[in-house]
C-alpha cells in the first residue's frame, strides 16, 4: 500500500547531502580495497593516481569532478551557481575519500572479505546516488553530471547513467594502456558496476521513495529542474 505524504519519514536534504559525502566516499574506498576493480566513474581518477602518484586518489578525484562541472557548463551554455557549490562538495568528497582510505587499509584482505567489501561498496554507492538524486541540493559532480545530462537531453536517467559509466570505463582502459602499459583499476567489478549501477539506483529509488520524503531546511523547497526522468 502506498503511504501518504504524512506517513513518510521526513529527511532534510542538508542531512542527506552530508550522508552522501560520507557514504559515497566510503563506498568508493571499500570497493577499491576489494581488488575487483572500482566503480567505473571512480576508475578514471584512480588510474591517474596510479600514473601520477604525486597527487592522492582524493585529489585526482576532485580534479576529475572539476572537469565534469566545466563540461556541464559548456553543454548547458550558461553559468549555474549551483555548479560552484557542487564543486565545493566534490572537494569535501575527495578529502573524505582520503580519510576512508587511511583506515580501510587496515581491513583484512582474505578472498572472502574482498567479496564482502565489493558487495558492500556497490550497495552503499547505489544508495548514495539515490540520495544524491533527491536531496534537492547541489551534489558531488560525479553524481550530478549524469543527473543533469539526463535533463538536458531529455533521456531516462538509468540509460544516461549506464552510457556515462561505459564511457568512463573505456577512458580508464585507454589511459591504463597508454600511461601504465597495463590495466589498472579495472576488474570484473568495474564491468559489473558499469552495466548495473544505473538499474540498481532505480530499484533503490523505487523502494526508498515509498517510505521517505526529502525536504530542504534552507532555501526554496523544490526539486531541481534537471532532475532525471523516472525509469519505467
Amino acid at each position: 500500500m502506498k503511504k501518504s505524504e504524512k506517513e513518510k519519514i521526513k529527511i532534510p536534504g542538508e542531512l542527506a547531502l552530508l550522508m552522501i559525502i560520507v557514504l559515497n566516499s566510503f563506498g568508493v574506498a571499500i570497493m577499491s580495497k576489494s581488488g575487483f576493480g572500482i566503480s567505473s566513474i571512480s576508475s578514471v581518477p584512480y588510474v591517474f593516481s596510479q600514473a601520477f602518484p604525486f597527487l592522492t586518489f582524493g585529489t585526482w578525484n576532485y580534479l576529475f569532478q572539476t572537469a565534469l562541472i566545466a563540461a556541464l557548463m559548456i553543454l548547458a551554455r550558461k553559468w549555474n551557481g549551483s555548479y560552484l557549490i557542487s564543486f565545493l562538495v566534490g572537494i569535501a568528497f575527495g578529502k573524505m575519500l582520503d580519510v576512508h582510505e587511511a583506515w580501510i587499509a587496515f581491513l583484512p584482505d582474505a578472498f572472502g572479505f574482498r567479496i564482502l567489501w565489493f558487495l558492500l561498496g556497490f550497495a552503499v554507492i547505489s544508495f548514495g546516488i539515490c540520495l544524491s538524486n533527491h536531496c534537492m541540493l547541489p551534489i558531488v559532480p560525479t553524481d550530478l553530471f549524469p543527473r543533469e545530462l539526463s535533463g538536458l537531453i531529455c533521456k531516462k536517467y538509468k540509460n544516461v547513467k549506464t552510457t556515462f559509466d561505459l564511457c568512463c570505463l573505456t577512458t580508464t582502459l585507454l589511459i591504463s594502456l597508454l600511461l601504465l602499459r597495463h590495466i589498472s583499476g579495472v576488474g570484473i567489478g568495474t564491468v559489473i558496476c558499469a552495466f548495473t549501477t544505473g538499474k540498481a539506483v532505480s530499484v533503490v529509488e523505487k523502494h526508498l521513495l515509498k517510505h521517505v520524503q526529502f525536504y530542504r531546511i534552507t532555501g526554496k523547497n523544490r526539486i531541481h529542474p534537471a532532475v532525471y526522468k523516472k525509469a519505467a
Side-chain angles (χ1 to χ4, degrees):
M1 180 181 295
K2 186 176 180 180
K3 290 187 177 181
S4 67
E5 296 302 316
K6 291 184 178 180
E7 294 176 317
K8 290 183 179 181
I9 300 171
K10 306 296 192 299
I11 297 180
E14 291 79 1
L15 174 60
L17 182 59
L18 291 176
M19 292 171 63
I20 291 162
I21 294 172
V22 175
L23 289 177
N24 282 15
S25 56
F26 167 74
V28 170
I30 198 70
M31 189 176 284
S32 176
K33 177 70 173 179
S34 75
F36 294 121
I38 58 178
S39 67
S40 50
I41 291 177
S42 297
S43 67
V44 176
Y46 179 81
V47 74
F48 272 108
S49 72
Q50 298 299 300
F52 306 104
F54 55 86
L55 294 178
T56 66
F57 181 22
T59 300
W60 278 114
N61 203 288
Y62 60 73
L63 288 175
F64 174 57
Q65 296 187 55
T66 301
L68 292 179
I69 291 296
L72 272 179
M73 289 191 291
I74 292 171
L75 291 171
R77 297 181 181 179
K78 65 178 180 179
W79 164 255
N80 190 326
S82 66
Y83 292 169
L84 176 60
I85 299 176
S86 181
F87 168 72
L88 297 176
V89 172
I91 293 178
F93 176 90
K95 295 297 184 183
M96 200 68 216
L97 180 58
D98 287 337
V99 170
H100 284 310
E101 284 211 312
W103 69 266
I104 284 176
F106 296 99
L107 293 178
D109 293 314
F111 186 74
F113 280 107
R114 289 170 56 201
I115 294 176
L116 176 62
W117 302 151
F118 175 79
L119 294 175
L120 177 60
F122 182 81
V124 168
I125 289 173
S126 297
F127 178 70
I129 294 174
C130 182
L131 291 180
S132 297
N133 288 334
H134 294 279
C135 71
M136 304 183 192
L137 290 165
I139 53 177
V140 180
T142 47
D143 295 335
L144 179 75
F145 186 85
R147 190 188 78 177
E148 294 282 297
L149 186 60
S150 69
L152 289 172
I153 63 177
C154 300
K155 299 292 184 181
K156 289 181 179 179
Y157 170 80
K158 68 176 182 179
N159 296 333
V160 173
K161 170 66 176 168
T162 299
T163 302
F164 178 53
D165 284 353
L166 290 174
C167 288
C168 288
L169 175 58
T170 303
T171 300
T172 299
L173 289 172
L174 290 174
I175 294 172
S176 292
L177 295 174
L178 290 174
L179 299 181
L180 300 175
R181 306 302 182 189
H182 66 273
I183 297 176
S184 178
V186 175
I188 184 62
T190 311
V191 177
I192 291 173
C193 287
F195 282 99
T196 62
T197 301
K199 295 178 181 178
V201 172
S202 295
V203 171
V204 173
E205 178 206 41
K206 180 180 178 181
H207 294 284
L208 181 68
L209 296 185
K210 288 180 180 179
H211 306 284
V212 176
Q213 181 182 22
F214 295 93
Y215 68 95
R216 289 181 60 174
I217 296 175
T218 58
K220 296 180 180 179
N221 187 18
R222 59 180 176 82
I223 298 291
H224 194 280
V227 91
Y228 65 88
K229 291 184 177 182
K230 290 186 178 181

